[in-house]
Structures are given as structure tokens and as C-alpha cells.
């Protein structure tokens, strides 16, 4: 069976430079996915895990720095080396990117041999050092990767718990399409987006009750419900008890 070629995600908005780099990488036996901006690259990364990312720093729609910070919110990208290409290699900018966690830099203009060698070295490191250090815990991490997506969604919902959280706003915040968001939630949580958001709100209400909150009006307001009556209906449907009975039960149980 023929071994697959390492896949490089190239993110470069300069058409001439992007085409040149892409062609030279392919000549050197790499599979290349070329995206013209950070947003396009982020959308590609929703369903793909390249072996390495080579990304321009200054781009429209989403910069290389913004892309890097976005993907580092998801553990599945932690072991993908990220190389920044930039003409702005001032000391302050370099320090900033290193503090962010970027793995390496390529200064424009550059010779392709430099990029090829850096890619080769990173891939060799992944193939040897990283694989040798893997243990049974890594299998658990792989199984839990899909949870990263929901951890990020839950974090966004909780930060905006008192606001009107729509599927449009949520999808925009995590840089996915509405249909992708809806499909993933339906697939893994078996509910639609609105129900998922409502359940997060209700679980938050339960946590407030556990912390000692006993006022139903306050609970409804703190959890982002427009009315106390609607909150009470949703709460009873979710827990089997009205908020007042749930609170009374908790008090009696103490």
C-alpha cells in the first residue's frame, strides 16, 4: 500500500506567492491545500487535520494571528506545527507571536529551501518524538476531541447567558456555518440548537439553586429567560418539578 503524502495547509492571500509556494511544495512530494485567507482556512479545518500549517500573518477577513488563536481553542490542533510567513518581523511582533505559541517564522522574502527544511524537521519531530511519547491516555484524548467543540459552545453560551443567543450569533462566534452547527448538535446531542441553548440555561439555573439562590424571578432573569412563567414551564418540563418545588426539595434535603 502506497504511503500517503504529508498534507500542508497553506494560507496565503497573495495569489502569485501562494501559487509558487504551493507548486514547489507539491514538487517536493507534499499534498497541499491552499486557502486564500484565514476564514477559508478555519472552515477547512472544521473537518480536516493537516500535518502542518504554513500561514501568512497579514490577510483580509482573518489574520494569521487570529487564525492561530482560534484553532488553539481546540485541543485537536495542539500537535499541528504552525509556521508564520511575514514581512513584518520586528522584534516586538516576533515576541508577540512567540508568546501566542507560534512554532516558527519565515521572513519574506525567503528561499523555498528554508521552508522545506523547516517543514521536514517539524514532521520528523512529530513522527518520532511525539509518537514515542504517546500512551494509553492519548486514546482517551482522541475519543474526547468532539467534546472540544461543545466545550467552546458551552463557554460562549454561559458568557452570554443573559443575552438573546441565536443560532446565527453562535455560529458566527465559532466561525462555522449555521447548518454545520445545527448538524453537529443534532448528531451528538440529539436536539436542535434552540433546545440545546435552553438546556444550558436550565442547567445554569440548577447550579444557581445548588449555590443557594431561591428566588424564581431572579433565576429566570439570571438565566436569560424573558418571563418567569416561561422559565417555570421550561424548568418543569426539564426536571419534572416546578422551580419552587425543586428549591423546596433542595432546602429540605439539606
Amino acid at each position: 500500500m502506497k504511503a500517503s503524502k504529508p498534507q500542508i495547509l497553506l494560507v496565503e492571500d497573495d495569489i502569485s506567492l501562494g501559487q509558487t509556494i504551493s507548486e514547489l511544495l507539491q514538487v517536493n512530494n507534499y499534498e497541499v491545500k491552499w486557502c486564500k485567507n484565514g476564514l477559508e482556512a478555519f472552515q477547512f479545518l472544521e473537518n480536516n487535520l493537516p500535518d502542518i500549517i504554513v500561514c501568512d500573518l497579514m490577510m483580509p477577513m482573518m489574520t494569521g494571528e487570529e487564525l492561530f488563536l482560534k484553532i488553539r481553542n481546540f485541543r485537536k490542533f495542539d500537535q499541528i506545527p504552525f509556521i508564520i510567513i511575514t514581512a513584518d518581523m520586528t522584534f516586538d511582533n516576533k515576541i508577540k507571536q512567540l508568546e501566542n505559541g507560534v512554532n516558527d517564522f519565515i521572513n519574506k522574502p525567503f528561499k523555498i529551501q528554508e521552508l522545506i527544511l523547516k517543514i521536514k524537521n517539524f514532521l520528523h519531530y512529530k513522527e518520532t518524538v511525539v509518537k514515542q511519547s504517546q500512551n494509553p491516555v492519548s486514546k482517551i484524548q482522541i475519543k474526547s476531541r468532539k467534546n472540544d467543540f461543545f466545550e467552546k459552545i458551552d463557554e460562549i453560551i454561559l458568557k452570554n447567558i443573559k443575552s438573546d443567543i441565536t443560532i446565527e450569533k453562535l455560529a458566527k462566534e465559532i466561525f462555522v456555518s449555521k447548518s454545520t452547527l445545527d448538524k453537529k448538535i443534532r448528531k451528538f446531542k440529539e436536539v436542535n440548537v434552540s433546545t440545546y441553548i435552553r438546556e444550558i440555561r436550565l442547567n445554569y439555573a440548577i447550579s444557581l439553586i445548588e449555590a443557594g439562590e431561591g428566588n424564581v424571578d431572579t433565576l429566570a432573569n439570571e438565566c436569560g429567560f424573558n418571563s418567569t412563567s416561561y422559565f417555570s414551564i421550561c424548568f418543569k418540563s426539564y426536571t419534572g418539578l416546578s422551580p419552587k418545588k425543586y428549591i423546596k426539595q433542595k432546602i429540605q434535603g439539606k
Side-chain angles (χ1 to χ4, degrees):
M1 184 175 178
K2 189 176 181 180
S4 60
K5 298 178 181 180
Q7 184 183 63
I8 312 298
L9 172 58
L10 172 65
V11 194
E12 174 60 66
D13 64 315
D14 185 308
I15 301 300
S16 178
L17 180 59
Q19 185 171 352
T20 299
I21 296 174
S22 180
E23 290 175 354
L24 289 171
L25 288 174
Q26 290 177 53
V27 167
N28 281 272
N29 207 34
Y30 293 109
E31 179 185 339
V32 181
K33 170 61 180 177
W34 174 25
C35 293
K36 310 302 189 301
N37 58 66
L39 181 56
E40 182 184 340
F42 189 83
Q43 291 169 344
F44 170 78
L45 288 167
E46 286 181 27
N47 300 303
N48 298 276
L49 284 175
D51 294 290
I52 195 164
I53 300 172
V54 178
C55 183
D56 191 14
L57 180 62
M58 301 305 298
M59 296 179 295
M61 301 182 72
M62 184 189 291
T63 67
E65 180 180 15
E66 290 170 336
L67 174 63
F68 177 80
L69 293 175
K70 282 285 182 186
I71 69 171
R72 282 303 190 252
N73 286 321
F74 301 90
R75 286 195 294 272
K76 66 180 180 179
F77 299 117
D78 285 351
Q79 293 186 4
I80 301 179
F82 198 104
I83 300 177
I84 284 284
I85 300 176
T86 181
D88 180 24
M89 192 48 68
T90 62
F91 177 78
D92 289 343
N93 192 33
K94 187 173 183 178
I95 291 298
K96 182 181 179 183
Q97 300 309 316
L98 288 172
E99 287 176 342
N100 286 341
V102 167
N103 300 102
D104 209 341
F105 301 90
I106 292 286
N107 245 347
K108 291 182 180 179
F110 62 90
K111 294 186 180 297
I112 194 64
Q113 291 93 330
E114 180 185 1
L115 178 59
I116 295 295
L117 285 173
K118 288 192 174 187
I119 289 174
K120 182 179 179 181
N121 289 342
F122 274 121
L123 293 179
H124 176 71
Y125 175 81
K126 285 182 65 179
E127 184 68 24
T128 55
V129 180
V130 174
K131 281 192 173 182
Q132 288 172 9
S133 66
Q134 286 181 341
N135 55 55
V137 176
S138 65
K139 296 180 181 179
I140 300 173
Q141 292 173 340
I142 290 171
K143 290 180 181 178
S144 67
R145 281 175 179 173
K146 67 175 180 291
N147 293 330
D148 295 345
F149 180 80
F150 292 102
E151 286 173 5
K152 187 63 179 176
I153 290 177
D154 293 354
E155 179 185 346
I156 293 168
I157 294 172
L158 289 170
K159 281 184 178 179
N160 300 276
I161 195 74
K162 296 176 73 173
S163 305
D164 179 23
I165 307 167
T166 64
I167 184 173
E168 290 83 6
K169 290 180 181 179
L170 192 55
K172 184 177 180 181
E173 186 72 20
I174 58 174
F175 288 87
V176 298
S177 66
K178 291 190 295 182
S179 61
T180 296
L181 177 61
D182 184 63
K183 286 177 183 177
K184 285 195 174 184
I185 288 180
R186 287 179 184 274
K187 179 179 179 180
F188 294 111
K189 301 299 181 179
E190 299 181 345
V191 294
N192 61 31
V193 179
S194 297
T195 300
Y196 186 74
I197 293 172
R198 185 166 63 249
E199 288 181 354
I200 295 293
R201 294 185 191 278
L202 292 168
N203 282 322
Y204 184 62
I206 292 170
S207 69
L208 291 178
I209 293 171
E210 296 283 354
E213 181 57 62
N215 186 289
V216 179
D217 290 332
T218 300
L219 288 169
N221 180 65
E222 289 297 318
C223 298
F225 285 87
N226 293 326
S227 71
T228 302
S229 60
Y230 180 61
F231 166 71
S232 298
I233 291 170
C234 292
F235 192 93
K236 185 173 182 179
S237 175
Y238 187 61
T239 65
L241 295 172
S242 69
K244 288 183 178 180
K245 286 186 177 179
Y246 192 95
I247 292 167
K248 185 178 180 180
Q249 188 180 79
K250 287 296 177 184
I251 293 174
Q252 291 174 343
K254 289 183 178 180

